[in-house]
Amino acid sequence: MSTDIRILSPCGMLGYGFPEKSFMNGMSQEPHGIVVDAGSTDGGPHKLGAGVSIVSKRAVKKDLGIMIPAGLSSGIPIIIGSAGGSGARTHVNWTLEIIDELLEEMNLQASITVIWADFSQQDIRQAREEGRIVSLSPNIPPLTEEAIAATNSIVAQMGHEPIVEALRGGADIIVCGRAYDPSPFAAIGIYHGKDPGLSYHLGKILECGALCAEPGTTKDSILGTIGDGYFTVQSLNPDRTCSETSVAAHTFYEKEHPYILHGPGFTLDLELCRFEESSPGVVRVSGSRYLPAETYRIKLEGARQTAYRTFVVAGIRDPILLGKLEAVQELVRSQAKDYYRDIPESDYEIRFYNYGMNGVLGSQEPEAFRGHEVGVMFEVVARTQELASSICATVRSTFLHYGYEGRKSTAGNLAFPFAPSDIEFGPVYAFSVYHLMESRPDVFTIEQR
Amino acid sequence: MTKLGDMAKVLRSKNSGPFELTLDVLFDSREMYEHVKNSGSVTREAVSKAYGMTEERIHHFVFFDQALGFKVTMSRDISSGSAGDRDVYGAQQHAPLMQLEIHCPREV
């Protein structure tokens, strides 16, 4: 069979939005599937830990409100990868509720298949005891029993296998829990018998929407076509175009290596790829190689709550204080610590972020401060919210009135933009599981609703 | 000497997973790319110096000719979004690399 397989990616993240015209241009090319990625760990551990989404329900509903009726009326599958952002049970259920609401409002019927990506603490504990878990990079500590016990939500990134299985089952809509971002795209190509290397490489490009075009954006649609021995990508908006370098350069994006990519059970080697413009704005890629791994491993992700935070934002304009700001902050810190000497130091941390000076780079900032104003954010992260707020209030009042050497502005050191000044942030999370687990492709549960 | 930030078309930083930060430098001409690649100024040593860190923290340092660019991936000292992190997406950690001086034989 040498039928070309076309995949429409509406946008780089479900809920980011896309021009309906671009999407409809894609639909007019009769794609074999509509696939959208909804997930990322980029926004930090909070979404997975707290079970919330980074995009609004309103925005997801708006995007799906275009994709679902288009897919159903054309009889092609709609696949959502890493539903709800982190792809854990709560995130998948949140997405399913939105789909159900839409189908009812639009008076549409659809068969839905869900692929769950959750793993219990017991699953992970057993894998650890069997020596099936390894760290992903040298700076990630080995997984401990203590970390597993403290992590309520653990997911793993699925490969294409369970999604291909769901496609075989004939689902109209496939909602995936956490997936390796390119997997839902690769599943369409592989289901139709296309080369897995080309399918995954195309998936890696399509999962970001039109980011591989110029000007690049995640908020526009893109079309991928897999032939035999190559694939092509093209923009669906006349205001953007794909070029050899824009597509080749995209291979770099948010990966640790420019041409070696690791996915569930395989390595993708793109070193020998050729990128050619086959017709204006259409880039043809060949040479992507799929190398099955000797040991099938999947990536685990888990987030645990570590503390609570209270923070304050304030401005400083006094030139004398700015001249010795970091030294004064150390004195403020000491005074607050001394005041709370009854509390173990390990129960809390006080941090100052001096925006305008070195707020972004911290101690790695090479430039000397030359400004006349600094935005200060300071936080107290502590074992409980009450403790964080109490200590933060002391840091704030100490800093506000601190009588540093040479001070002339004896009425106060900080300009607060808001009253009250102290903001309770709530829980703080950390990625506590980010490891590879030796496993099998069929550990992801497929459920037909 | 010219600064890398003036020669590159794209110079960016981003998380590569929550525990690593990756720097991408891309050029819009093969000539410029080859010039920078062959200048001897872009080394693990130079990059680790620009970031005030040890060379061991650089996990990958790779040129990719097809894409006219190179990539440097380093460990984060604090994982994305944990207490003490200053840049959750890692999207503003590129400025020190822009300042890297590239040796230009023609200007000598």
Side-chain angles (χ1 to χ4, degrees), chain A residues 175-324:
Chain A
V175 181
C176 308
R178 185 62 170 136
Y180 177 53
D181 292 349
S183 296
F185 300 86
I188 298 263
I190 294 169
Y191 170 69
H192 287 282
K194 296 298 178 189
D195 176 74
L198 294 171
S199 298
Y200 266 105
H201 188 186
L202 178 60
K204 159 75 185 137
I205 293 169
L206 296 186
E207 61 107 343
C208 294
L211 202 59
C212 69
E214 280 179 318
T217 177
T218 52
K219 293 173 180 271
D220 205 344
S221 311
I222 192 112
L223 185 76
T225 304
I226 316 184
D228 290 324
Y230 70 92
F231 68 81
T232 62
V233 278
Q234 65 196 91
S235 165
L236 294 166
N237 183 336
D239 293 341
R240 315 179 191 286
T241 186
C242 290
S243 71
E244 289 162 24
T245 43
S246 76
V247 174
H250 182 72
T251 309
F252 269 66
Y253 191 60
E254 59 183 17
K255 289 287 164 210
E256 75 271 21
H257 194 284
Y259 52 80
I260 304 289
L261 281 70
H262 299 286
F266 69 89
T267 296
L268 195 59
D269 184 348
L270 309 179
E271 187 176 10
L272 305 175
C273 275
R274 288 222 314 276
F275 300 86
E276 311 154 281
E277 194 164 354
S278 56
S279 58
V282 180
V283 174
R284 180 186 154 111
V285 183
S286 57
S288 324
R289 293 189 301 155
Y290 176 94
L291 311 171
E294 272 179 34
T295 307
Y296 195 97
R297 289 196 175 95
I298 50 178
K299 190 192 281 184
L300 300 171
E301 295 169 349
R304 71 188 278 187
Q305 190 178 314
T306 54
Y308 291 84
R309 169 185 284 135
T310 299
F311 73 97
V312 175
V313 173
I316 297 177
R317 183 62 182 79
D318 184 280
I320 301 167
L321 176 54
L322 288 178
K324 52 172 78 175

Side-chain angles (χ1 to χ4, degrees), chain A residues 374-393:
Chain A
V374 165
V376 178
M377 190 275 287
F378 51 95
E379 64 168 6
V380 176
V381 168
R383 210 165 38 76
T384 66
Q385 187 71 67
E386 183 275 329
L387 187 60
S389 294
S390 301
I391 298 175
C392 192

